[in-house]
Amino acid sequence: MIFPTFPLWIVDIAGSVLMVAFSFLCLRLVRKLKQYDLDNVIWTYLLWVCYGLAAFSVSRSAGHILKQLLLMSAHETLWLSIRPFSGAINTFMFVFVASVTLFFERIWKLYQQILKDKQKLQAMHKELLYLNQNLEQLVAKRTQALTLSEHKYRRIFEVSRDMILVAKKDGKVVDLNPAGHAMLGIDAADRSITGCLFQQFFSKEEDWNAIQQKINQRGFVLNFETDFKVRDGANIRALISGSFDKGLSQDEDTVLFLVKDIEERRSMEKQLAQADKLASIGQLSAGIAHEINNPLGIILGYTQLLLRKEPIESERHQDLKTIEKHVQSCKAIVKDLLNFAKSSKPRREKTIINKTIEDVLGFVQHHSNTDHIEILRDYDKKIPELMLDEKKIKQVLLNLIMNARHAVGHQGTIALSTELDADAGRVFIKVKDTGYGIEKQHHTSIFDPFYTTKPTGEGTGLGLSVSYGIIKSHGGDIFVESEPGKGSQFTVVLPVL
Amino acid sequence: MRNNFQLFIIFLVFLITERLINPDLALATQAHGAPEGIYAHQMAHLIFAFSMGFLIYWQRKRNLVREAGWRFIQYAALFFILWNIDTFVVHLLDEQFNIIQVKRINLWQMQINVITGHRSLNVLYYFTKLDHLLCVPGMLFLYFGLRRLSEEAGQNISENTQP
């Protein structure tokens, strides 16, 4: 079959020229790409592909053009001698381009890895640059934050009203806050506490053992109530919570204790119980007194009626007089009981308390031998007139002064003082003696009715309980501070109305 | 099992030694006859086509074809595969099977005869000889692809260097 050769020549020659032209244009573009980033392996890879393709295009196109020119000029023999070289170079270039292309995956992975590393390096470089530029500022800022934090926690440690104690697991004290020093009665400047054993402050050794056992088992102890021996020998009730704090090494293991002084709370609870007890007794007494008062009145009335009819010298008259005397004595006790039970409301009138005290003192000095007893007075002249039932307050003061007089015996000192606490709106009246004092176990009972330490017949045991009732009915309070051998001080607190 | 394998190795070594020391054969240097060139060239075409296929596969696997530059390079690889097939067929008909006979009649005409086989093969041969119609577009797409990559790289650099 006959075919035209012209299309073959045109396509061959034009195609060859275009192949060479485009291959070099490609080469130029990749070289330009490479200039953007000399270290980019993808561009390096494409450069090698383009080198291969350019060499392939040149060898192939040169061969084709030469072939057509030699054939057209009837130099077929010459072409036959050149043809193997052209073909061999061509084959070699195929293999070269193919070989380079087969590395694409590896090169791409390498490129991605390099890119990742580069990004990491850039990020690190940025961070380093930032740190380098702001290091001083950052250090200052963090130091300040650290100082603030340290100060904050140090302040919590120092200003805490409860004891914070850091100890080793064996109880050796590492640190103790000022509240702890105060609670244990140790001078804050005394550093000798560090290294002491915490358990030495426990009144009962078994309490410490129980705490230690709980910490070992659970890692903490919560609200354990115990008694602490403080430096002056006194005991205080305390509530202990502790947590085990694991350190970096066993030597650094510590236990953090938080100790709350509940002595005051316990004392208040006792006072409340006492008040409750007295209120109950008062209620009972009032009931009994009310029931007894009427029959006593009838007995007294009939006794006095019978007395009128009996001659004075008669034996019956003497008997009736004895009955009358004892009935009146009973009535006085009933009256006292009613006073203690606050059954009657105080009749308040303006009273100058310092004057009232002086009146009572004058009465005592007149009726009792106080020659060898020193009376000290310290009155606060700023005390305003108080709204009180003067008669009943006089009874209270009389009871207290007479008790003090009895306590000091034949020789001693009784100190009377008044004080105004304007902010609290209260007046304090203190009666202090240098007598033997009251044992601690009696402190809770002295206001109980019929409780007395005097020999039988010398006191009814109603004086202080009646005083208690009167002061309570005035909205005030009465309490005692006493230590055996140091005397007693009774304090009456009255509201300023 | 292991003894059988040892026996096989000993037999193989004996056979090779016997062939090497046989004076009838000169095995030191192998001769490269005429058809070897066309075989090497055809293999090179196959390797070239395979490598281009490999390139397309990885580009697609790595989702590079989403970018216009790499997409053009993918088209270039596809045209180079077609070109390799085309030239492989030409070499097969013309030089390996020798079923095509080309005779130049004059400057403007040529006669293509099919010695054995289907007569329409001469038409196929004539058109496959126009292989530049495949490789030139391949190179053109490569150029477009590289140009796009170059533009993007230049754009990235100008963006990064902007204050």
Side-chain angles (χ1 to χ4, degrees):
Chain A
M1 191 181 273
I2 308 292
F3 289 93
T5 54
F6 183 69
L8 288 179
W9 293 346
I10 293 294
V11 170
D12 215 21
I13 292 169
S16 298
V17 171
L18 285 171
M19 278 294 279
V20 173
F22 278 120
S23 68
F24 276 91
L25 281 172
C26 287
L27 201 59
R28 201 184 70 168
L29 275 174
V30 183
R31 287 174 72 88
K32 192 177 155 192
L33 261 173
K34 184 93 175 104
Q35 288 304 313
Y36 287 141
D37 186 0
L38 288 170
D39 299 326
N40 191 318
V41 287
I42 291 292
W43 302 156
T44 310
Y45 163 78
L46 284 175
L47 186 66
W48 279 100
V49 172
C50 287
Y51 274 138
L53 283 173
F56 156 70
S57 301
V58 169
S59 70
R60 189 175 175 282
S61 301
H64 278 236
I65 293 165
L66 201 62
K67 177 189 163 188
Q68 295 302 339
L69 290 174
L70 289 172
L71 289 179
M72 278 193 285
S73 59
H75 288 91
E76 195 172 347
T77 327
L78 186 61
W79 165 242
L80 286 173
S81 63
I82 294 170
R83 192 179 133 179
F85 289 105
S86 168
I89 292 169
N90 228 329
T91 307
F92 181 74
M93 285 305 141
F94 290 174
V95 176
F96 176 78
V97 174
S99 306
V100 175
T101 312
L102 286 172
F103 277 101
F104 177 76
E105 167 66 3
R106 283 277 138 216
I107 295 290
W108 184 259
K109 276 185 181 166
L110 196 69
Y111 171 66
Q112 291 298 317
Q113 192 57 46
I114 289 170
L115 215 61
K116 226 181 262 178
D117 292 348
K118 194 178 168 183
Q119 279 169 351
K120 263 188 203 169
L121 273 171
Q122 275 175 344
M124 279 177 75
H125 175 72
K126 223 178 203 178
E127 201 177 336
L128 275 172
L129 207 68
Y130 174 78
L131 283 174
N132 194 25
Q133 284 168 351
N134 301 285
L135 194 62
E136 218 168 291
Q137 205 180 341
L138 277 171
V139 168
K141 208 185 273 180
R142 283 182 192 176
T143 309
Q144 194 185 4
L146 201 67
T147 311
L148 273 172
S149 170
E150 202 273 336
H151 178 73
K152 191 168 81 180
Y153 289 108
R154 177 46 63 179
R155 289 299 295 157
I156 291 172
F157 183 78
E158 280 175 357
V159 304
S160 167
R161 307 302 299 168
D162 297 325
M163 179 202 292
I164 299 173
L165 182 137
V166 184
K168 295 274 181 197
K169 273 186 91 176
D170 60 357
K172 201 176 277 180
V173 176
V174 176
D175 207 353
L176 178 68
N177 71 337
H181 279 96
M183 198 185 287
L184 297 174
I186 305 164
D187 185 13
D190 183 6
R191 306 306 301 168
S192 65
I193 184 72
T194 310
C196 283
L197 292 172
F198 186 32
Q199 50 266 46
Q200 76 185 49
F201 295 101
F202 282 73
S203 297
K204 294 173 194 164
E205 198 184 334
E206 59 267 28
D207 281 359
W208 167 253
N209 292 337
I211 287 171
Q212 215 174 18
Q213 197 183 353
K214 279 183 181 176
I215 288 171
N216 286 337
Q217 282 172 354
R218 300 187 296 181
F220 68 93
V221 62
L222 200 65
N223 296 332
F224 190 97
E225 213 171 311
T226 187
D227 283 320
F228 269 137
K229 282 187 293 192
V230 293
R231 191 152 277 188
D232 55 4
N235 276 350
I236 56 162
R237 197 72 179 160
L239 206 61
I240 297 184
S241 294
S243 296
F244 176 62
D245 182 22
K246 189 153 179 58
L248 291 173
S249 66
Q250 209 169 358
D251 286 346
E252 291 175 42
D253 288 352
T254 51
V255 184
L256 307 177
F257 288 105
L258 185 72
V259 184
K260 203 170 183 66
D261 181 357
I262 54 165
E263 186 60 36
E264 200 177 330
R265 196 178 78 187
R266 202 170 66 143
S267 160
M268 274 182 71
E269 281 170 0
K270 272 186 185 171
Q271 279 182 18
L272 277 172
Q274 173 72 1
D276 277 353
K277 186 177 79 180
L278 291 179
S280 305
I281 294 170
Q283 213 171 357
L284 181 71
S285 306
I288 295 168
H290 187 74
E291 292 300 321
I292 293 173
N293 206 25
N294 289 341
L296 280 177
I298 293 164
I299 293 168
L300 188 64
Y302 277 103
T303 308
Q304 284 170 345
L305 201 67
L306 288 170
L307 269 172
R308 282 185 205 165
K309 292 174 186 174
E310 290 298 327
I312 296 169
E313 295 80 19
S314 71
E315 197 177 331
R316 190 183 287 265
H317 186 273
Q318 292 302 316
D319 292 341
L320 287 169
K321 268 289 185 191
T322 307
I323 292 169
E324 186 194 23
K325 183 187 157 196
H326 284 280
V327 169
Q328 275 177 339
S329 175
C330 282
K331 270 189 83 76
I333 291 170
V334 167
K335 194 183 165 195
D336 283 347
L337 271 176
L338 285 170
N339 274 336
F340 163 70
K342 298 177 277 182
S343 57
S344 58
K345 278 189 179 177
R347 288 179 200 162
R348 292 176 190 267
E349 55 191 339
K350 284 183 181 175
T351 310
I352 300 165
I353 194 70
N354 293 340
K355 188 179 170 292
T356 308
I357 296 169
E358 274 303 306
D359 288 350
V360 174
L361 201 57
F363 177 80
V364 171
Q365 282 174 324
H366 186 71
H367 289 88
S368 177
N369 182 16
T370 56
D371 292 347
H372 301 287
I373 296 169
E374 191 184 3
I375 308 284
L376 301 174
R377 295 171 178 87
D378 180 18
Y379 301 139
D380 188 344
K381 288 174 182 168
K382 290 176 195 164
I383 297 173
E385 287 183 334
L386 304 175
M387 292 300 287
L388 305 168
D389 186 334
E390 194 181 10
K391 207 173 162 189
K392 287 190 173 181
I393 292 296
K394 272 184 179 173
Q395 192 183 345
V396 172
L397 291 168
L398 186 65
N399 278 332
L400 296 177
I401 294 167
M402 283 306 288
N403 278 348
R405 158 78 188 79
H406 187 259
V408 295
H410 298 294
Q411 205 162 9
T413 307
I414 296 172
L416 294 158
S417 65
T418 54
E419 190 188 332
L420 172 71
D421 182 353
D423 294 334
R426 304 215 161 247
V427 168
F428 296 87
I429 304 160
K430 292 174 183 171
V431 180
K432 193 177 179 182
D433 64 63
T434 54
Y436 175 72
I438 306 162
E439 302 284 349
K440 201 175 179 182
Q441 67 265 28
H442 299 310
H443 283 196
T444 52
S445 312
I446 55 170
F447 295 107
D448 292 358
F450 307 111
Y451 181 87
T452 180
T453 53
K454 290 174 188 168
T456 313
E458 283 191 30
T460 57
L462 280 170
L464 281 176
S465 54
V466 168
S467 301
Y468 179 89
I470 291 168
I471 296 300
K472 284 286 172 187
S473 70
H474 277 82
D477 202 1
I478 180 168
F479 55 89
V480 64
E481 291 162 89
S482 180
E483 272 184 58
K486 291 183 181 176
S488 308
Q489 177 178 284
F490 281 86
T491 306
V492 174
V493 186
L494 290 169
V496 179
L497 295 173
Chain B
M1 186 75 182
R2 194 173 169 175
N3 288 338
N4 290 341
F5 181 71
Q6 281 176 346
L7 279 172
F8 172 73
I9 295 293
I10 292 165
F11 173 72
L12 202 67
V13 171
F14 171 76
L15 197 70
I16 292 165
T17 316
E18 192 272 329
R19 296 308 297 167
L20 283 172
I21 58 171
N22 190 344
D24 297 338
L25 294 166
L27 294 174
T29 311
Q30 190 183 330
H32 297 281
E36 207 173 279
I38 187 64
Y39 274 88
H41 191 78
Q42 289 287 69
M43 280 180 193
H45 270 299
L46 289 177
I47 293 168
F48 194 6
F50 174 73
S51 71
M52 288 297 131
F54 190 70
L55 180 65
I56 292 172
Y57 171 73
W58 283 120
Q59 278 186 334
R60 298 190 75 81
K61 195 174 179 189
R62 297 276 169 197
N63 285 326
L64 287 174
V65 289
R66 284 181 186 170
E67 294 172 36
W70 288 105
R71 199 160 54 242
F72 280 126
I73 291 172
Q74 180 194 224
Y75 298 151
L78 184 69
F79 272 96
F80 280 125
I81 291 171
L82 295 174
W83 174 78
N84 274 299
I85 294 167
D86 179 278
T87 47
F88 185 83
V89 171
V90 172
H91 294 313
L92 203 69
L93 295 173
D94 196 6
E95 292 163 75
Q96 269 185 274
F97 295 164
N98 289 321
I99 53 172
I100 300 289
Q101 203 174 49
V102 182
K103 195 179 173 186
R104 195 175 289 273
I105 298 167
N106 56 39
L107 193 62
W108 306 107
Q109 285 182 315
M110 61 195 272
Q111 188 174 7
I112 300 172
N113 294 322
V114 180
I115 298 165
T116 53
H118 205 278
R119 293 284 162 197
S120 59
L121 277 176
N122 50 12
V123 180
L124 176 72
Y125 178 77
Y126 181 78
F127 282 106
T128 52
K129 283 295 262 184
L130 298 166
D131 64 320
H132 277 106
L133 295 176
L134 293 169
C135 67
V136 171
M139 198 59 89
L140 196 64
F141 276 122
L142 181 66
Y143 172 74
F144 288 152
L146 291 172
R147 195 173 66 176
R148 188 57 75 92
L149 287 179
S150 175
E151 282 168 3
E152 281 170 8
Q155 208 173 342
N156 284 343
I157 284 183
S158 63
E159 275 173 15
N160 290 337
T161 50
Q162 265 179 5

